[in-house]
Amino acid sequence: MSVQTPAVAGHCDELLVALGRFRASAHITQRWGEQLAAVLGGGGRLLAAGNGGSAAQAQHLTAELVGRYRDDRPPFSAIALHADTSSTTAIANDYGVDEVFARQVRAHGRAGDVLMLLSTSGASANLLSAADAGRAAGMRVWALTGPAPNPLSAGSDETLSVAGASTATVQELHLVAVHMVCAAFDAAVERAGR
């Protein structure tokens, strides 16, 4: 029989506290899902980016939109910018890591599209550059970050900041937010008859 250590059980306690605070932000995920349905339903696209675990969350979001979240529906245009390894490594080599996402935003982003940037710290230089490029292109820039204030929330049109005590808790709640956005997106698509 194994003995549960306080650090392991404490993780659940930390998540419960953060989830309670996070629930008050549900209206943001609802609004983002509905706005995203209007943009993508009108032929626009979502560009998403993050580093490390946040890259995985960004790719999870785009997969749900191109594939499906729960029920079958048409595919929508959503690109995880880090997933094109040839472009990412070429840009990093030729222009520096800070330009990895910004250069792709300038290539793929159009006015009216959405750029979602995920960061537990809200301070990654490559995401800050991407936010600048997105705003310059006329995109809506949304940030899903850890505790505010942070530079990425200041440089975005809208931010959902997660007040988690650890990076792990922030990442877990980012996944919750991704699923909430997808649920709101699918409901809006269904209402629109797409």
Side-chain angles (χ1 to χ4, degrees):
M1 174 189 218
S2 65
V3 176
Q4 192 175 37
T5 64
V8 172
H11 183 83
C12 289
D13 297 336
E14 181 183 306
L15 184 57
L16 281 172
V17 169
L19 182 60
R21 289 188 298 244
F22 173 78
R23 196 172 194 292
S25 303
H27 66 284
I28 297 171
T29 62
Q30 177 77 34
R31 184 175 60 248
W32 284 3
E34 291 171 352
Q35 290 177 359
L36 198 55
V39 169
L40 274 55
R45 71 173 46 140
L46 169 72
L47 303 180
N51 295 298
S54 296
Q57 303 286 20
Q59 193 165 350
H60 187 109
L61 172 61
T62 60
E64 301 285 26
L65 296 171
V66 175
R68 68 175 182 171
Y69 175 56
R70 288 193 178 131
D71 299 321
D72 194 33
R73 57 151 167 74
F76 292 90
S77 182
I79 301 169
L81 298 178
H82 68 278
D84 182 349
T85 55
S86 295
S87 290
T88 301
T89 55
I91 294 165
N93 186 61
D94 295 343
Y95 299 97
V97 175
D98 290 357
E99 282 296 305
V100 163
F101 301 130
R103 191 158 179 89
Q104 292 182 77
V105 167
R106 288 190 289 273
H108 300 299
R110 303 291 179 263
D113 287 349
V114 175
L115 174 63
M116 185 179 286
L117 303 171
L118 293 84
S119 173
T120 58
S121 70
S124 301
N126 58 5
L127 296 177
L128 296 171
S129 295
D132 291 343
R135 284 192 320 280
M139 300 177 74
R140 296 177 201 189
V141 179
W142 297 341
L144 189 53
T145 74
N150 60 67
L152 186 56
S153 65
S156 299
D157 296 317
E158 284 191 75
T159 302
L160 194 156
S161 296
V162 174
S166 70
T167 298
T169 297
V170 170
Q171 287 177 334
E172 289 159 350
L173 290 177
H174 281 183
L175 180 58
V176 172
V178 163
H179 284 163
M180 291 170 74
V181 167
C182 289
F185 176 89
D186 280 3
V189 166
E190 185 175 345
R191 282 193 305 274
R194 293 189 174 101

